[in-house]
Amino acid sequence: MIVGKQKPFDEIWDMVKGFKKVLVYGCNTCVAICHAGGSKEAELLASMLRMRAKQEGLDLLIDSAGIERHCEPEFFEPLDEKVKTYDLILSTACGVGVNFLADRLAGAIPVYPGINTSFYGAVPEAGFFVELCGGCGNCILHLTGGICPIVRCSKSLMNGPCGGTDKGKCEVSSETDCAWFLIVERMKKLGTLEKLFEVQPPRDWSTATHGGPRRISLEHIRAYEAEEEKKATLTGEGK
Amino acid sequence: MKSGSNLERVIASGKMAVTAELGPPMSADPHEVIHKAGQLKGFCDAANITDCQTAVVRISSIAAAFIAQREGLEPVMQMTCRDRNRIAMQADLLGAAALGLKNCLCIAGDHQKFGASGKLKGHPGAKNVYDVDTCQLVGIMKKMRDEGLQQGGDKLEVAPKFFIGASWTPMGDPMDFRPYNLKKKVDAGADFIQTQGIYDMELFKSQMEKARNLGLHERTAILAGIIVPKSAMMLKYMDSSVAGVTVPKELIDRMNKAKAAAGDDKKKMRELQEQEGIKIAVELVQQALEIPGIKGVHIQAIEWESAMEPIVKAAGLYPRPVLPAE
Amino acid sequence: MADVAEAAEQILVSTVEAPHDTPADWTPNVLAFACHYCAFAAADLAGVMRLSYSPSVKIIRLPCTGKLDHIHILSAFEKGVDGVFAAG
Amino acid sequence: MFAARRIEYVKTLLKKVGIDPARLEMYNLSAAMGPRWAEMCDEFVDRIRNLGPSPIWLASRKQSEKGVTEQ
């Protein structure tokens, strides 16, 4: 899932204080699970902002709301009218949600981010999140025992550990496992260590963020949707 | 000859090679490079010019290598994968070759977080590159030299002729994988290898045996890394804090003994430790040269370039061979 | 002894809040969230025993303090109460 | 104790908005502790009296005073 962390309160306050009517808008999917931007966090943040506004003597109306997801248009619809009555939307969704809502509002109302979107991660234990995938668009986990060297190695090395591995830990921090140490140990257990002996050539990074914004289009689904829409228009006309 | 560099000629002649290290300054003043080059000249076949080691901004490796070369010291320019993507790397390689540089050592480079240690602020917030890693950089350089092609496939009118090096940490974790790590660098095209500093010769011998079993000593020239110890404190630090380096207790004891012999005299304390350090370095050099498959030594007298002369002389490696260019 | 009292007073001066004068007409306004089965029963007992305690405390009874949500506490402060305690 | 953990968390939020976390507390007591309840209430009210009015209360008052004078 997408993991984020709420921005420092003072930073949020600086974003918000010049406005009159603000909606703190939560998203109840990924960022709710990491306690950063669900309806609950949006509600608390709104209350804190109101208290700050009161102390600063600012006449600021701050409400909160939340919807299931900020990355699909259907979920926005029930609140569209309400949203239009504010002069700032402070979104506590991930960066995808902020972008998507800003596009939807098309410059009519600004959308500001309430959280820092951090990484794709897992939750090995409650309240603890780790990055496990870089979303590079060209997966090689079959070659590395299911451990991603692109994000779990601090140098994204593709051909084995650097000289900085110390007692199985990364040179960047003694609290970070060396990904290549883990990969070698995993491959030994799997009995496939020899897969690591081949030199991996330079990667094509154009599938990562280096080839411009990425898109995936499922033509069979889009064709079906278009057909359904056409049918609906036809029957509509028939009436 | 692949590059015709002095280092390559010495290695090809079958004589034991000696390389040294020269760290460029955090300054726009070339005089420190010139001064250090003067101290090293004549006591090594080539000297590595580090590339912003510990991720601290210094005179660039290429520029410092060019200055050293002008002073008559053959440089091994280093190139880290940290700061350049493949476009900048290849552009720099063409530029370096055009300036007459002939040796290049490929390394991953210290992570940018390293820069913020001790008194220095460094640039821990920098964006690192790591477009390619060491093996891949070696491969790119080989392809440029041998096929006259850029990594992307475009032709080079004149190919850069480099003697290609790579580093090896024989005693780093995971230790049983390290010989294969070396094999990958050799497979990629490394002509010579310089190892991380070695104090534990017995352990190094066993890693070398594994490398020999893979036939690597015949396909590349392995130079054993020797870091000249300056004090007992430095040895203890290297043992506890430097990745892939273990220092046998007896070496630390020897340094402590030398320190104790000076009593309370601080100056003498330093002198005696430095003398002992040079003695230890000479012994390590001699032991390393006896290991089958070793083709030379990479002696690093970090910020202590004047130590090169006594070490090379005492180890019987002086004078350095003078070989005519082809 | 005076020193100790002075020090104690200094500790009680908030480091988070801006210094301010206390208006003469202010009286503390404290909200207590009490668990029905323990603290609220204790409060009840205090009443039965005719024990006198500060009239500034208003009690909200909860089935269990586990029901107490973050937002309930923040809302209370937002409304201007001077202190909140939960008892369970 | 879920409540105790929540209280600790809300204390951090209060601090961020400039309210002294000492204005919030968690107490544990049993049904039989009538006298302790009375004592606890007095203690806490004393603490609050020492801290003075909450910044929010002060801000509200200032605002309403301003409202009155403007009118």
Side-chain angles (χ1 to χ4, degrees), chain A residues 8-127:
Chain A
F9 183 70
D10 288 342
E11 192 183 328
I12 296 178
W13 173 248
D14 281 342
M15 285 184 197
V16 162
K17 65 184 176 194
F19 292 87
K20 289 274 166 238
K21 217 176 156 208
V22 179
L23 179 68
V24 185
Y25 205 176
C27 174
N28 286 319
T29 307
C30 314
V31 292
I33 293 171
C34 54
H35 305 275
S39 293
K40 197 174 148 55
E41 288 76 25
E43 192 183 19
L44 293 177
L45 181 57
S47 170
M48 288 165 72
L49 288 169
R50 283 193 294 267
M51 282 194 257
R52 181 69 180 262
K54 190 135 210 178
Q55 290 179 68
E56 308 246 337
L58 290 178
D59 188 18
L60 201 58
L61 188 140
I62 302 165
D63 292 331
S64 73
I67 56 169
E68 211 48 36
R69 275 212 278 287
H70 278 226
C71 50
E72 285 183 67
E74 289 83 350
F75 294 99
F76 284 119
E77 279 163 14
L79 288 187
D80 268 346
E81 288 312 308
K82 178 183 164 80
V83 163
K84 281 180 192 145
T85 63
Y86 293 89
D87 63 357
L88 174 70
I89 310 299
L90 179 73
S91 167
T92 58
C94 69
V96 174
V98 177
N99 272 272
F100 199 51
L101 180 56
D103 284 351
R104 189 177 177 82
L105 296 173
I109 309 164
V111 184
Y112 286 0
I115 71 170
N116 291 323
T117 308
S118 308
F119 50 80
Y120 305 152
V123 198
E125 56 192 81

Side-chain angles (χ1 to χ4, degrees), chain B residues 178-198:
Chain B
R178 292 290 166 173
Y180 295 103
N181 225 314
L182 174 62
K183 182 177 184 296
K184 292 180 85 162
K185 289 175 181 175
V186 176
D187 285 347
D191 303 309
F192 71 100
I193 297 291
Q194 290 169 325
T195 77
Q196 168 66 290
I198 297 152

Side-chain angles (χ1 to χ4, degrees), chain C residues 1-63:
Chain C
M1 275 312 281
D3 291 353
V4 176
E6 212 170 284
E9 205 166 297
Q10 267 171 4
I11 290 164
L12 280 169
V13 171
S14 172
T15 50
V16 177
E17 296 170 7
H20 55 76
D21 296 324
T22 301
D25 61 338
W26 173 78
T27 50
N29 186 8
V30 168
L31 195 64
F33 289 101
C35 160
H36 173 69
Y37 295 98
C38 22
F40 192 78
D44 219 16
L45 181 61
V48 170
M49 290 169 79
R50 309 252 172 245
L51 297 170
S52 74
Y53 60 89
S54 174
S56 302
V57 180
K58 319 272 183 302
I59 308 175
I60 292 180
R61 183 173 56 152
L62 295 175

Side-chain angles (χ1 to χ4, degrees), chain B residues 11-89:
Chain B
I11 288 169
S13 75
K15 296 192 171 69
M16 287 294 170
V18 177
T19 53
E21 193 150 307
L22 190 162
M26 296 166 68
S27 156
D29 182 358
H31 288 99
E32 198 175 323
V33 180
I34 294 169
H35 175 68
K36 285 180 176 178
Q39 287 177 307
L40 297 175
K41 195 178 148 184
F43 303 107
C44 59
D45 305 315
N48 286 36
I49 314 295
T50 50
D51 182 12
C52 299
Q53 74 271 27
T54 67
V56 166
V57 172
R58 298 161 194 276
I59 289 185
S60 73
S61 179
I62 297 175
F66 182 68
I67 296 167
Q69 177 143 298
R70 213 173 51 190
E71 295 302 308
L73 175 72
E74 176 165 292
V76 177
M77 93 182 220
Q78 295 196 173
M79 186 175 271
T80 70
C81 300
R82 179 191 59 224
D83 306 328
R84 300 170 189 81
N85 70 3
R86 65 191 80 176
I87 300 170
M89 280 172 166

